[in-house]
Amino acid sequence: MTQAPTIAEEQRLIAEDFELFDDWREKIEYVLDLGRKLPAFPEQHRIDANKVKGCQSQVWMVAELDQADDRIRIVADSDAFIVRGLIALLLRLYANRHPQEILDNPPAVFQ
């Protein structure tokens, strides 16, 4: 059985994916395509308690610890197409991970 890539490895793979595109339009189309492939978000989760505060578009996110295997299950959605693609990238990095792995690999801060 093949082990899933670590968060750092997944970050590298995402960067490699983006290097395949020659211009920003292709990169945007790729992100939009990722958003189109995002799994359906359960309607019962589209409530204010699950909204991500501070987002200009509407974003809903639910994260729960699966006690059976100690992994964080995350589902999310947005009403904005580009944000849906960004959510897909976020889920690629952090969904179905052990909590400590997530804590050990916070998102990079760009200045």
Side-chain angles (χ1 to χ4, degrees):
M1 183 175 181
T2 306
Q3 187 172 353
T6 64
I7 292 173
E9 291 167 341
E10 197 66 59
Q11 287 173 329
R12 183 183 48 75
L13 293 169
I14 290 170
E16 288 175 6
D17 288 348
F18 278 93
E19 289 172 2
L20 297 172
F21 304 110
D22 293 325
D23 66 32
W24 66 270
R25 288 184 187 110
E26 291 175 332
K27 292 176 184 180
I28 295 294
E29 188 56 43
Y30 174 66
V31 172
L32 289 170
D33 189 48
L34 291 173
R36 286 193 271 295
K37 294 175 183 173
L38 198 62
F41 188 78
E43 278 303 312
Q44 70 266 24
H45 291 319
R46 290 182 195 277
I47 59 174
D48 283 344
N50 294 332
K51 277 191 175 180
V52 176
K53 309 293 187 240
C55 289
Q56 192 166 9
S57 56
Q58 292 190 86
V59 176
W60 300 270
M61 181 179 289
V62 177
E64 299 175 330
L65 178 64
D66 185 334
Q67 299 286 340
D69 63 359
D70 191 41
R71 290 181 182 271
I72 302 289
R73 306 290 181 225
I74 306 170
V75 292
D77 197 12
S78 176
D79 63 348
F81 293 116
I82 192 78
V83 176
R84 283 180 57 91
L86 298 174
I87 288 169
L89 290 169
L90 176 85
L91 295 179
R92 185 172 162 185
L93 288 174
Y94 292 108
N96 302 313
R97 303 280 184 177
H98 293 284
Q100 193 60 53
E101 183 182 8
I102 294 170
L103 291 172
D104 290 345
N105 292 279
V109 177
F110 298 100
Q111 298 185 15

